Amino acid sequence: TLFDPTGQGIADAMVRCLRFVGDPARRIAEDALRLLRFWRFAAQLELPEDDWDEHSRHACADAEEALDS
């Protein structure tokens, strides 16, 4: 049995779209390890950035900039 609390996870998996649950920037601010987990999933699933949700892509880029400073 697969539990999909958001109702969008299965649909995303079918089209190979990677996204955070809820607001990506907020999720990363709550726990910065989520950013690393996101990148790990992307690498393991061989998903290029084009397959990432737009909001997730922007939040990752913003977080990357913060890590550089």
Side-chain angles (χ1 to χ4, degrees):
T1 304
L2 182 64
F3 179 67
D4 183 6
T6 66
Q8 188 161 0
I10 295 171
D12 283 346
M14 299 297 287
V15 296
R16 297 182 50 86
C17 178
L18 186 60
R19 76 176 75 231
F20 286 90
V21 174
D23 176 36
R26 182 175 175 199
R27 292 293 177 233
I28 293 168
E30 290 170 350
D31 179 4
L33 286 177
R34 287 186 172 130
L35 179 63
L36 298 177
R37 290 184 200 110
F38 185 89
W39 288 335
R40 186 187 71 207
F41 284 129
Q44 287 176 332
L45 299 172
E46 299 179 359
L47 296 175
E49 283 189 42
D50 292 346
D51 290 343
W52 301 1
D53 167 69
E54 181 179 353
H55 300 289
S56 297
R57 193 168 46 244
H58 291 297
C60 286
D62 292 344
E64 252 184 287
E65 289 174 16
L67 292 174
D68 287 339
S69 14

Coordinates of all heavy atoms in Angstrom, one line a residue:
T1 N 0.8 -1.2 0.0 CA 0.0 0.0 0.0 C 0.9 1.2 0.0 O 1.8 1.3 0.8 CB -0.9 0.0 1.3 OG1 -1.7 -1.2 1.3 CG2 -1.8 1.2 1.2
L2 N 0.6 2.2 -0.8 CA 1.3 3.4 -0.9 C 0.4 4.5 -0.4 O -0.7 4.7 -0.7 CB 1.6 3.7 -2.4 CG 2.4 5.0 -2.7 CD1 3.8 4.9 -2.0 CD2 2.6 5.2 -4.2
F3 N 1.0 5.3 0.6 CA 0.3 6.4 1.2 C 0.8 7.7 0.6 O 2.0 8.0 0.7 CB 0.5 6.4 2.7 CG -0.2 7.5 3.5 CD1 -1.5 7.5 3.5 CD2 0.6 8.4 4.1 CE1 -2.2 8.6 4.2 CE2 0.0 9.5 4.8 CZ -1.4 9.5 4.8
D4 N -0.1 8.5 0.0 CA 0.2 9.7 -0.6 C -0.6 10.8 0.1 O -1.7 11.2 -0.4 CB -0.1 9.7 -2.1 CG 0.3 10.9 -2.9 OD1 0.9 11.8 -2.3 OD2 0.0 11.0 -4.0
P5 N 0.0 11.4 1.2 CA -0.8 12.4 1.9 C -1.1 13.7 1.2 O -2.1 14.4 1.5 CB 0.1 12.7 3.2 CG 1.5 12.4 2.7 CD 1.3 11.2 1.7
T6 N -0.3 14.0 0.2 CA -0.6 15.3 -0.6 C -1.5 15.1 -1.7 O -2.1 16.0 -2.3 CB 0.7 15.9 -1.1 OG1 1.3 15.0 -2.1 CG2 1.7 16.1 0.0
G7 N -1.6 13.8 -2.2 CA -2.5 13.5 -3.3 C -1.8 13.9 -4.6 O -2.4 13.7 -5.7
Q8 N -0.5 14.3 -4.6 CA 0.2 14.7 -5.8 C 1.4 13.8 -6.0 O 2.0 13.8 -7.1 CB 0.5 16.1 -5.8 CG 1.1 16.6 -7.1 CD 1.0 18.1 -7.2 OE1 0.6 18.8 -6.3 NE2 1.5 18.6 -8.3
G9 N 1.8 13.1 -5.0 CA 3.1 12.4 -5.1 C 3.1 11.3 -6.2 O 4.1 11.1 -6.9
I10 N 2.0 10.6 -6.3 CA 1.9 9.5 -7.3 C 2.0 10.1 -8.7 O 2.7 9.6 -9.6 CB 0.7 8.6 -7.1 CG1 0.9 7.9 -5.8 CG2 0.5 7.6 -8.2 CD1 -0.4 7.1 -5.3
A11 N 1.2 11.2 -8.9 CA 1.1 11.9 -10.2 C 2.5 12.4 -10.5 O 3.0 12.3 -11.7 CB 0.1 13.0 -10.2
D12 N 3.2 13.0 -9.6 CA 4.6 13.5 -9.8 C 5.5 12.4 -10.2 O 6.4 12.5 -11.1 CB 5.1 14.2 -8.6 CG 4.5 15.6 -8.4 OD1 3.9 16.1 -9.3 OD2 4.7 16.2 -7.3
A13 N 5.4 11.2 -9.5 CA 6.3 10.1 -9.8 C 6.0 9.6 -11.2 O 7.0 9.2 -11.9 CB 6.1 9.0 -8.8
M14 N 4.8 9.6 -11.6 CA 4.5 9.1 -13.0 C 5.1 9.9 -14.1 O 5.5 9.4 -15.1 CB 3.0 9.0 -13.2 CG 2.3 8.1 -12.2 SD 2.7 6.4 -12.4 CE 2.0 6.0 -13.9
V15 N 5.3 11.2 -13.8 CA 5.9 12.1 -14.8 C 7.3 12.5 -14.5 O 7.9 13.4 -15.1 CB 5.0 13.4 -15.1 CG1 3.6 13.0 -15.6 CG2 4.8 14.2 -13.8
R16 N 7.8 11.8 -13.4 CA 9.2 12.1 -13.0 C 9.5 13.5 -12.6 O 10.4 14.2 -13.1 CB 10.2 11.6 -14.0 CG 10.1 10.1 -14.3 CD 11.1 9.6 -15.3 NE 12.5 10.0 -15.0 CZ 13.4 9.4 -14.3 NH1 13.0 8.3 -13.6 NH2 14.6 9.8 -14.1
C17 N 8.6 14.1 -11.8 CA 8.7 15.5 -11.3 C 9.1 15.4 -9.8 O 8.5 14.8 -9.0 CB 7.4 16.3 -11.5 SG 7.5 17.9 -10.9
L18 N 10.2 16.1 -9.5 CA 10.7 16.1 -8.1 C 10.4 17.5 -7.5 O 10.6 18.5 -8.1 CB 12.2 15.9 -8.1 CG 12.9 15.8 -6.8 CD1 12.3 14.6 -6.0 CD2 14.4 15.6 -6.9
R19 N 9.7 17.4 -6.3 CA 9.4 18.7 -5.6 C 9.3 18.4 -4.1 O 9.3 17.3 -3.7 CB 8.0 19.2 -6.1 CG 6.8 18.4 -5.5 CD 5.5 19.0 -5.9 NE 5.2 18.7 -7.3 CZ 4.8 19.6 -8.2 NH1 4.6 20.8 -7.9 NH2 4.5 19.2 -9.5
F20 N 9.4 19.5 -3.4 CA 9.3 19.5 -1.9 C 7.8 19.4 -1.6 O 7.0 19.9 -2.4 CB 9.9 20.8 -1.3 CG 11.4 20.8 -1.3 CD1 12.1 21.4 -2.3 CD2 12.0 20.3 -0.2 CE1 13.4 21.4 -2.3 CE2 13.4 20.3 -0.1 CZ 14.1 20.9 -1.2
V21 N 7.5 19.0 -0.4 CA 6.1 19.0 0.1 C 5.9 20.4 0.7 O 6.6 20.8 1.5 CB 5.8 17.9 1.1 CG1 4.4 18.0 1.7 CG2 6.0 16.5 0.5
G22 N 4.9 21.1 0.2 CA 4.6 22.4 0.7 C 5.5 23.5 0.1 O 6.0 23.3 -1.0
D23 N 5.8 24.5 0.8 CA 6.7 25.6 0.4 C 8.1 25.2 0.5 O 8.6 25.0 1.6 CB 6.4 26.9 1.2 CG 7.3 28.0 0.9 OD1 7.7 28.2 -0.3 OD2 7.7 28.8 1.8
P24 N 8.8 25.1 -0.7 CA 10.2 24.6 -0.7 C 11.2 25.4 0.2 O 12.0 24.9 1.0 CB 10.7 24.7 -2.1 CG 9.4 24.7 -2.9 CD 8.4 25.4 -2.0
A25 N 11.1 26.8 0.1 CA 12.0 27.6 0.9 C 11.7 27.4 2.4 O 12.7 27.4 3.2 CB 11.8 29.1 0.5
R26 N 10.5 27.3 2.8 CA 10.2 27.0 4.2 C 10.7 25.7 4.7 O 11.2 25.6 5.8 CB 8.6 27.1 4.4 CG 8.2 26.9 5.8 CD 6.7 27.2 6.0 NE 6.4 26.9 7.3 CZ 5.1 26.6 7.7 NH1 4.1 26.6 6.8 NH2 4.9 26.3 8.9
R27 N 10.5 24.7 3.8 CA 11.0 23.3 4.2 C 12.5 23.3 4.4 O 13.0 22.7 5.3 CB 10.6 22.3 3.1 CG 9.2 22.1 3.0 CD 8.7 21.4 4.2 NE 7.2 21.2 4.1 CZ 6.4 21.6 5.0 NH1 6.8 22.1 6.2 NH2 5.1 21.4 4.9
I28 N 13.2 24.0 3.5 CA 14.7 24.1 3.6 C 15.1 24.8 4.9 O 16.0 24.5 5.6 CB 15.3 24.7 2.3 CG1 15.1 23.8 1.1 CG2 16.8 25.0 2.5 CD1 15.4 24.4 -0.2
A29 N 14.4 25.9 5.2 CA 14.7 26.7 6.4 C 14.4 25.9 7.6 O 15.1 26.1 8.6 CB 13.8 28.0 6.4
E30 N 13.4 25.1 7.6 CA 13.1 24.2 8.8 C 14.2 23.2 9.0 O 14.5 22.9 10.2 CB 11.8 23.5 8.5 CG 10.5 24.3 8.6 CD 9.3 23.6 8.1 OE1 9.4 22.4 7.6 OE2 8.2 24.1 8.3
D31 N 14.7 22.7 7.9 CA 15.8 21.6 8.1 C 16.6 21.6 6.8 O 16.2 21.2 5.8 CB 15.1 20.3 8.2 CG 16.0 19.1 8.4 OD1 17.3 19.3 8.4 OD2 15.6 17.9 8.4
A32 N 17.8 22.2 6.9 CA 18.7 22.3 5.8 C 19.1 21.0 5.1 O 19.4 20.9 3.9 CB 19.9 23.1 6.1
L33 N 19.0 19.9 5.9 CA 19.3 18.6 5.3 C 18.3 18.2 4.3 O 18.6 17.3 3.4 CB 19.3 17.5 6.4 CG 20.5 17.5 7.4 CD1 20.4 16.5 8.4 CD2 21.8 17.4 6.6
R34 N 17.1 18.8 4.2 CA 16.2 18.5 3.2 C 16.7 18.9 1.8 O 16.4 18.2 0.8 CB 14.9 19.2 3.4 CG 14.1 18.7 4.6 CD 12.7 19.3 4.7 NE 11.9 18.6 5.7 CZ 11.3 19.2 6.7 NH1 11.3 20.5 6.8 NH2 10.6 18.5 7.5
L35 N 17.5 19.9 1.8 CA 18.2 20.3 0.5 C 19.1 19.2 0.0 O 19.0 18.8 -1.1 CB 19.0 21.6 0.7 CG 19.7 22.1 -0.5 CD1 18.7 22.5 -1.6 CD2 20.5 23.4 -0.1
L36 N 19.9 18.6 0.9 CA 20.8 17.5 0.6 C 20.0 16.3 0.2 O 20.4 15.6 -0.8 CB 21.7 17.2 1.7 CG 22.7 18.4 2.1 CD1 23.5 18.0 3.3 CD2 23.5 18.8 1.0
R37 N 18.9 16.0 0.9 CA 18.1 14.9 0.5 C 17.5 15.0 -0.9 O 17.4 14.1 -1.7 CB 17.0 14.6 1.5 CG 17.5 14.1 2.9 CD 16.4 13.9 3.8 NE 16.9 13.8 5.2 CZ 16.6 14.8 6.1 NH1 15.8 15.8 5.8 NH2 17.1 14.7 7.3
F38 N 17.0 16.3 -1.1 CA 16.5 16.6 -2.5 C 17.5 16.3 -3.6 O 17.2 15.6 -4.5 CB 16.0 18.0 -2.5 CG 15.3 18.5 -3.7 CD1 13.9 18.3 -3.8 CD2 16.0 19.0 -4.8 CE1 13.3 18.7 -5.0 CE2 15.3 19.4 -6.0 CZ 14.0 19.2 -6.0
W39 N 18.7 16.8 -3.4 CA 19.8 16.6 -4.4 C 20.1 15.1 -4.5 O 20.4 14.6 -5.6 CB 21.0 17.4 -4.0 CG 20.9 18.8 -4.2 CD1 20.0 19.5 -5.1 CD2 21.6 19.9 -3.5 NE1 20.2 20.8 -5.0 CE2 21.2 21.1 -4.1 CE3 22.6 19.8 -2.6 CZ2 21.7 22.3 -3.6 CZ3 23.1 21.1 -2.1 CH2 22.6 22.3 -2.7
R40 N 20.1 14.4 -3.3 CA 20.4 12.9 -3.4 C 19.3 12.2 -4.2 O 19.6 11.3 -5.0 CB 20.4 12.3 -2.0 CG 20.9 10.9 -2.0 CD 20.8 10.3 -0.6 NE 19.4 10.1 -0.2 CZ 18.9 10.1 1.0 NH1 19.8 10.3 2.0 NH2 17.7 9.9 1.2
F41 N 18.0 12.5 -3.9 CA 17.0 11.9 -4.7 C 17.1 12.2 -6.2 O 17.0 11.3 -7.1 CB 15.6 12.3 -4.3 CG 15.1 11.7 -3.0 CD1 14.7 12.5 -1.9 CD2 15.1 10.3 -2.8 CE1 14.2 11.9 -0.8 CE2 14.7 9.8 -1.6 CZ 14.2 10.6 -0.6
A42 N 17.4 13.4 -6.5 CA 17.6 13.8 -7.9 C 18.7 13.0 -8.6 O 18.6 12.5 -9.7 CB 17.9 15.3 -8.0
A43 N 19.8 12.8 -7.8 CA 21.0 12.1 -8.4 C 20.6 10.6 -8.5 O 20.9 10.0 -9.5 CB 22.2 12.2 -7.5
Q44 N 20.0 10.0 -7.5 CA 19.7 8.6 -7.5 C 18.7 8.3 -8.6 O 18.7 7.2 -9.2 CB 19.1 8.1 -6.2 CG 20.1 8.0 -5.1 CD 19.5 7.7 -3.7 OE1 18.4 8.0 -3.4 NE2 20.3 7.0 -2.9
L45 N 17.7 9.2 -8.8 CA 16.7 9.0 -9.9 C 17.1 9.5 -11.2 O 16.4 9.4 -12.2 CB 15.4 9.6 -9.4 CG 14.8 9.1 -8.2 CD1 13.6 10.0 -7.7 CD2 14.4 7.7 -8.3
E46 N 18.4 10.1 -11.3 CA 18.9 10.6 -12.5 C 18.0 11.7 -13.1 O 17.7 11.6 -14.3 CB 19.3 9.5 -13.5 CG 20.3 8.6 -13.0 CD 20.7 7.4 -13.9 OE1 20.1 7.4 -15.0 OE2 21.5 6.6 -13.6
L47 N 17.5 12.6 -12.3 CA 16.6 13.6 -12.7 C 17.3 14.9 -12.9 O 17.9 15.5 -12.0 CB 15.5 13.8 -11.7 CG 14.5 12.7 -11.4 CD1 13.6 13.0 -10.3 CD2 13.7 12.4 -12.7
P48 N 17.4 15.4 -14.2 CA 18.0 16.7 -14.4 C 17.2 17.8 -13.8 O 16.0 17.6 -13.5 CB 18.0 16.8 -16.0 CG 16.9 15.9 -16.4 CD 16.8 14.8 -15.4
E49 N 17.7 19.0 -13.7 CA 17.0 20.1 -13.1 C 15.7 20.4 -13.8 O 14.8 21.0 -13.3 CB 17.9 21.4 -13.0 CG 18.9 21.3 -11.9 CD 19.6 22.6 -11.7 OE1 19.0 23.7 -11.8 OE2 20.9 22.6 -11.5
D50 N 15.7 20.1 -15.1 CA 14.4 20.4 -15.9 C 13.3 19.6 -15.3 O 12.1 19.9 -15.6 CB 14.6 20.0 -17.4 CG 15.6 20.9 -18.1 OD1 15.9 22.0 -17.5 OD2 16.0 20.6 -19.2
D51 N 13.5 18.5 -14.6 CA 12.5 17.6 -14.1 C 12.1 18.0 -12.6 O 11.2 17.4 -12.0 CB 12.9 16.2 -14.1 CG 12.9 15.6 -15.5 OD1 12.4 16.2 -16.4 OD2 13.6 14.5 -15.6
W52 N 12.7 19.1 -12.1 CA 12.4 19.6 -10.8 C 11.3 20.6 -10.9 O 11.2 21.3 -11.9 CB 13.6 20.3 -10.1 CG 14.8 19.4 -10.0 CD1 15.0 18.1 -10.3 CD2 16.0 19.9 -9.4 NE1 16.3 17.7 -10.0 CE2 16.9 18.8 -9.4 CE3 16.5 21.1 -8.8 CZ2 18.2 18.9 -9.0 CZ3 17.8 21.1 -8.3 CH2 18.6 20.1 -8.4
D53 N 10.4 20.6 -9.9 CA 9.4 21.6 -9.8 C 10.0 23.0 -9.8 O 11.1 23.2 -9.2 CB 8.6 21.4 -8.5 CG 7.7 22.5 -8.2 OD1 6.7 22.7 -8.9 OD2 8.0 23.2 -7.2
E54 N 9.4 24.0 -10.5 CA 10.0 25.3 -10.7 C 10.3 26.0 -9.3 O 11.4 26.5 -9.1 CB 9.1 26.2 -11.5 CG 9.7 27.6 -11.7 CD 8.8 28.4 -12.6 OE1 7.8 27.9 -13.1 OE2 9.1 29.6 -12.7
H55 N 9.3 25.8 -8.4 CA 9.5 26.5 -7.1 C 10.6 25.8 -6.3 O 11.4 26.4 -5.6 CB 8.2 26.4 -6.3 CG 7.1 27.1 -6.9 ND1 7.0 28.5 -7.0 CD2 6.0 26.6 -7.5 CE1 5.9 28.8 -7.7 NE2 5.2 27.7 -8.0
S56 N 10.8 24.5 -6.5 CA 11.8 23.8 -5.8 C 13.2 24.2 -6.4 O 14.2 24.3 -5.7 CB 11.6 22.2 -6.0 OG 10.4 21.8 -5.3
R57 N 13.2 24.3 -7.7 CA 14.5 24.7 -8.4 C 15.0 26.1 -7.9 O 16.1 26.2 -7.5 CB 14.3 24.7 -9.9 CG 15.5 24.8 -10.7 CD 15.3 24.6 -12.2 NE 14.2 25.2 -12.8 CZ 13.1 24.6 -13.3 NH1 13.1 23.3 -13.3 NH2 12.2 25.3 -13.9
H58 N 14.0 27.0 -7.7 CA 14.4 28.4 -7.3 C 14.8 28.3 -5.8 O 15.8 29.0 -5.4 CB 13.2 29.3 -7.4 CG 13.0 29.7 -8.9 ND1 13.9 30.3 -9.7 CD2 11.9 29.4 -9.6 CE1 13.4 30.5 -10.9 NE2 12.2 29.9 -10.9
A59 N 14.1 27.5 -5.0 CA 14.5 27.4 -3.5 C 15.9 26.8 -3.4 O 16.6 27.3 -2.5 CB 13.4 26.6 -2.8
C60 N 16.2 25.8 -4.2 CA 17.5 25.2 -4.1 C 18.6 26.2 -4.5 O 19.6 26.3 -3.9 CB 17.5 24.0 -5.0 SG 16.7 22.5 -4.4
A61 N 18.3 26.9 -5.6 CA 19.3 27.9 -6.0 C 19.5 29.0 -4.9 O 20.7 29.4 -4.7 CB 18.8 28.6 -7.3
D62 N 18.5 29.5 -4.3 CA 18.6 30.5 -3.2 C 19.3 29.9 -2.1 O 20.2 30.6 -1.5 CB 17.2 30.9 -2.8 CG 16.5 31.8 -3.8 OD1 17.1 32.2 -4.8 OD2 15.3 32.0 -3.7
A63 N 19.1 28.6 -1.7 CA 19.8 28.0 -0.6 C 21.2 27.8 -0.9 O 22.1 27.9 -0.1 CB 19.1 26.7 -0.2
E64 N 21.5 27.4 -2.2 CA 22.9 27.3 -2.6 C 23.7 28.6 -2.4 O 24.8 28.5 -1.9 CB 22.9 26.9 -4.1 CG 23.3 25.5 -4.3 CD 23.4 25.2 -5.8 OE1 22.4 25.1 -6.5 OE2 24.5 25.1 -6.3
E65 N 23.1 29.7 -2.8 CA 23.7 31.0 -2.6 C 24.0 31.3 -1.2 O 25.1 31.8 -0.8 CB 22.9 32.1 -3.3 CG 22.8 32.0 -4.8 CD 21.8 33.1 -5.3 OE1 21.4 34.0 -4.6 OE2 21.5 32.9 -6.5
A66 N 23.1 30.9 -0.3 CA 23.2 31.1 1.1 C 24.4 30.3 1.7 O 25.1 30.7 2.6 CB 21.9 30.8 1.9
L67 N 24.5 29.1 1.1 CA 25.6 28.2 1.6 C 27.0 28.7 1.2 O 28.0 28.5 1.8 CB 25.4 26.8 1.0 CG 24.2 26.0 1.5 CD1 24.1 24.7 0.8 CD2 24.4 25.7 3.0
D68 N 27.0 29.4 0.0 CA 28.3 30.0 -0.5 C 28.8 31.1 0.3 O 29.9 31.5 0.3 CB 28.1 30.4 -2.0 CG 28.1 29.2 -2.9 OD1 28.5 28.1 -2.5 OD2 27.6 29.4 -4.0
S69 N 27.8 31.8 1.0 CA 28.3 33.0 1.8 C 28.8 32.7 3.2 O 28.8 31.7 3.7 CB 27.2 34.0 1.9 OG 25.9 33.6 1.7

